[in-house]
Amino acid sequence: MRQHNKKRIKSKIASINNGVLEDWGDYKWQLAHSIRDIKSFELLTDIRFGEFERIRLEKTLRKFPLAITPYYASLIDISNYTNDPIYKQSFPDIRELDVMENDMRDPLSEDEDSPVMGVTHRYPDRVLLNVTSTCSMYCRHCTRKRKVGDKDRFLNKTQLRESIRYISDTREVRDVLISGGDPLMLSDDLIGWVLEKLSLVPHVEVIRIGTRMPVVLPYRITDELVGILSKYKNLWINTHFNHPRELSGTARRALAKLADAGIPLGNQTVLLAGVNDCPRIMKKLMHVLVQNRVRPYYMYQCDMSEGLSHFRTPVGKGMEIMEHMVGHTSGFAVPRYVIDAPGGGGKIPVMPEYLISWSTNKVILRNYEGVITAYKEPDSYEPTFCDRDCDSCRLQLNLEPGKEENPIGLVKLLGEGSETVSLTPKSNERIRRRNGK
Ligand SMILES: *Cc1c(COP(=O)(O)O)cnc(C)c1O
């Protein structure tokens, strides 16, 4: 069925282009043929909307524009599109216009915590660097929906220089998260330039890229791009899969390219009503991710952004999903469930309760099966007195990495410039004789 849909979309695009189907696997071709209006979507998928619905969809698009890559559209199961997770994440829903009383344009106050254009500095040691407001696909559940399709789509080089200057002037920033929009919308050259500039800042220890390209346009992960990214040995990539169906063969190959290049991969999922608000779907998603060397990082509660109310679930649904994963599956397949605090408080982790009671020397815990256990605390624990006088502290506060300064055993013989020529046990009979003992 899916294969069939891909063929259908391909041949339709070919007929629109006077029969010339250029390379489906070329990401630039995909971007150039991205679906941006209802009519093209109908034409390509054979889905038809009624007159009344079309008018309301058009109205939705005037507020929140549409963009779907042909690749992502080809994953839609046309025979059951109203329940399809790919369709729901990419095609507008007229409920996006229902703005609820509590909905906010900028629920995370990212614009307020912005010292210079493009930078959000919320946490003490890390910043968000939004290099563009554009994406290859406009996710219907985007938390930055207010910015989707903005005119000023990319930071120009002067603005980029200014935001990088802020980072190099702010010594406490040790982690830079390049986001957007989708940073991989930038040209290879510009991506390389930003990474190079950031890696020259001595206090920047890690760089992260947040991108949905492996999901919505995996062809963007070209050998050339991977060549640029793999130069930076402190670079992490976080992507955004929400449903197991998104891990097509092409998506898996893109992930494999990144992982083979040694880039650590993480995934941030959003809990979405009608898409993945089910323990079974979520667990399967996490399993497929780790199978493809992607470590589940966060599962987000859906933000209170305008136009997202139909995607929101109660927090209890997230709790239920966590309850189904913790202990039931590999620890590293379980993401951390977080709520991004409205007003800009940052991400707040929430978890079902496992510590159920405690006394002065015992804590009572329950496990994933409901087994209740007591953990007895140590009878004697001498807390380290801390008055912040680290010089007199008994803990080892030399935090420099250890060096192999005193090789022992065979390493002593193997080392360059080693003066030792032999190792002999103390009890050796021959040496004892030699020494006349
Ligand atoms: C999510 C986020 C970060 C990164 O947070 P981590 O928990 O370290 O992944 C940094 N800045 C802002 C504004 C964020 O929203």
Side-chain angles (χ1 to χ4, degrees):
M1 180 63 227
R2 250 173 277 159
Q3 197 53 34
H4 177 62
N5 185 37
K6 185 166 170 177
K7 269 194 205 131
R8 174 186 0 220
I9 290 184
K10 275 185 174 179
S11 69
K12 288 260 170 101
I13 290 177
S15 68
I16 296 168
N17 294 309
N18 303 320
V20 190
L21 177 62
E22 291 179 41
D23 193 6
W24 174 268
D26 174 354
Y27 78 91
K28 287 183 179 159
W29 181 94
Q30 288 274 337
L31 288 171
H33 291 87
S34 130
I35 303 164
R36 293 178 176 274
D37 57 79
I38 314 275
K39 240 197 201 126
S40 313
F41 184 81
E42 287 185 316
L43 205 65
L44 291 174
T45 57
D46 285 338
I47 294 173
R48 293 284 180 271
F49 302 100
E51 199 49 43
F52 179 65
E53 195 174 10
R54 180 160 332 114
I55 291 168
R56 300 223 292 170
L57 284 170
E58 298 285 2
K59 198 173 161 206
T60 313
L61 289 204
R62 282 196 290 278
K63 186 159 184 197
F64 301 120
L66 163 74
I68 316 177
T69 56
Y71 161 79
Y72 197 68
S74 76
L75 303 181
I76 296 173
D77 176 1
I78 306 287
S79 65
N80 186 17
Y81 71 91
T82 49
N83 282 322
D84 187 81
I86 315 284
Y87 175 85
K88 286 185 178 183
Q89 290 181 71
S90 58
F91 195 79
D93 187 303
I94 52 177
R95 288 175 295 175
E96 289 173 34
L97 293 178
D98 302 342
V99 174
M100 301 294 166
E101 205 181 316
N102 293 320
D103 290 354
M104 299 184 261
R105 270 180 61 72
D106 177 18
L108 309 178
S109 301
E110 291 181 323
D111 296 343
E112 283 167 50
D113 281 340
S114 176
V116 287
M117 180 139 171
V119 174
T120 301
H121 192 174
R122 162 154 316 144
Y123 296 106
D125 68 342
R126 53 210 191 277
V127 295
L128 202 62
L129 173 59
N130 286 327
V131 291
T132 173
S133 65
T134 192
C135 285
S136 61
M137 184 186 96
Y138 297 151
C139 302
R140 302 325 292 180
H141 57 275
C142 182
T143 188
R144 303 198 184 111
K145 229 173 152 94
R146 67 188 185 282
K147 296 203 166 161
V148 171
D150 271 4
K151 289 281 176 296
D152 300 314
R153 288 169 158 232
F154 292 92
L155 288 192
N156 60 39
K157 221 154 184 178
T158 312
Q159 291 164 326
L160 274 176
R161 274 206 183 86
E162 235 161 80
S163 44
I164 293 169
R165 184 170 318 125
Y166 173 82
I167 291 166
S168 57
D169 286 349
T170 314
R171 304 232 1 212
E172 55 270 35
V173 178
R174 43 161 289 288
D175 176 2
V176 178
L177 214 168
I178 307 174
S179 182
D182 198 316
L184 298 188
M185 288 297 278
L186 268 55
S187 67
D188 286 1
D189 284 348
L190 200 49
I191 293 167
W193 184 85
V194 171
L195 290 174
E196 190 57 31
K197 289 279 173 236
L198 286 175
S199 67
L200 290 174
V201 180
H203 52 266
V204 172
E205 297 168 8
V206 269
I207 304 172
R208 302 189 244 177
I209 291 179
T211 174
R212 210 179 181 205
M213 287 295 189
V215 188
V216 295
L217 185 49
Y219 298 117
R220 175 67 185 96
I221 312 303
T222 59
D223 293 342
E224 295 73 41
L225 178 67
V226 173
I228 292 167
L229 300 177
S230 63
K231 273 195 253 169
Y232 301 92
K233 303 302 177 197
N234 56 350
L235 175 71
W236 295 61
I237 291 183
N238 261 334
T239 185
H240 174 39
F241 286 91
N242 285 330
H243 195 280
R245 287 263 319 275
E246 294 174 326
L247 284 123
S248 69
T250 311
R252 289 169 196 239
R253 280 190 290 278
L255 294 173
K257 268 191 194 185
L258 294 167
D260 286 348
I263 303 170
L265 303 173
N267 186 70
Q268 315 197 153
T269 293
V270 186
L271 181 53
L272 297 170
V275 173
N276 58 14
D277 52 337
C278 154
R280 195 174 151 194
I281 294 175
M282 211 51 116
K283 196 155 117 189
K284 177 69 182 177
L285 172 65
M286 303 311 159
H287 286 170
V288 188
L289 286 169
V290 295
Q291 201 180 0
N292 287 279
R293 290 178 280 176
V294 183
R295 168 76 155 95
Y297 181 49
Y298 283 139
M299 177 175 83
Y300 287 99
Q301 177 67 14
C302 185
D303 288 328
M304 290 162 64
S305 300
E306 270 181 25
L308 303 192
S309 47
H310 63 292
F311 278 127
R312 289 173 56 200
T313 66
V315 174
K317 183 47 80 176
M319 290 295 211
E320 182 192 341
I321 291 171
M322 292 307 286
E323 190 73 71
H324 274 80
M325 292 198 289
V326 175
H328 293 272
T329 192
S330 323
F332 77 118
V334 182
R336 184 188 295 200
Y337 178 32
V338 291
I339 305 180
D340 220 334
K347 298 173 188 73
I348 300 172
V350 281
M351 265 283 262
E353 214 51 73
Y354 291 90
L355 179 63
I356 56 180
S357 192
W358 62 97
S359 66
T360 50
N361 65 353
K362 269 186 189 172
V363 294
I364 308 298
L365 306 144
R366 62 105 180 168
N367 81 346
Y368 70 103
E369 303 162 303
V371 170
I372 294 178
T373 40
Y375 170 83
K376 196 172 164 313
E377 305 209 81
D379 289 329
S380 59
Y381 167 67
E382 223 178 289
T384 302
F385 172 74
C386 182
D387 57 359
R388 302 252 159 186
D389 175 13
C390 297
D391 288 339
S392 64
C393 184
R394 67 187 168 93
L395 293 175
Q396 173 62 269
L397 283 168
N398 172 8
L399 304 179
E400 293 307 311
K403 285 199 190 103
E404 290 182 70
E405 273 168 331
N406 299 308
I408 53 167
L410 287 184
V411 176
K412 220 174 190 171
L413 296 180
L414 291 170
E416 297 283 338
S418 168
E419 281 168 18
T420 314
V421 293
S422 67
L423 299 175
T424 319
K426 268 205 183 103
S427 58
N428 184 289
E429 205 51 43
R430 180 170 50 86
I431 300 296
R432 252 203 305 208
R433 262 200 313 277
R434 197 186 282 179
N435 293 343
K437 280 179 203 158

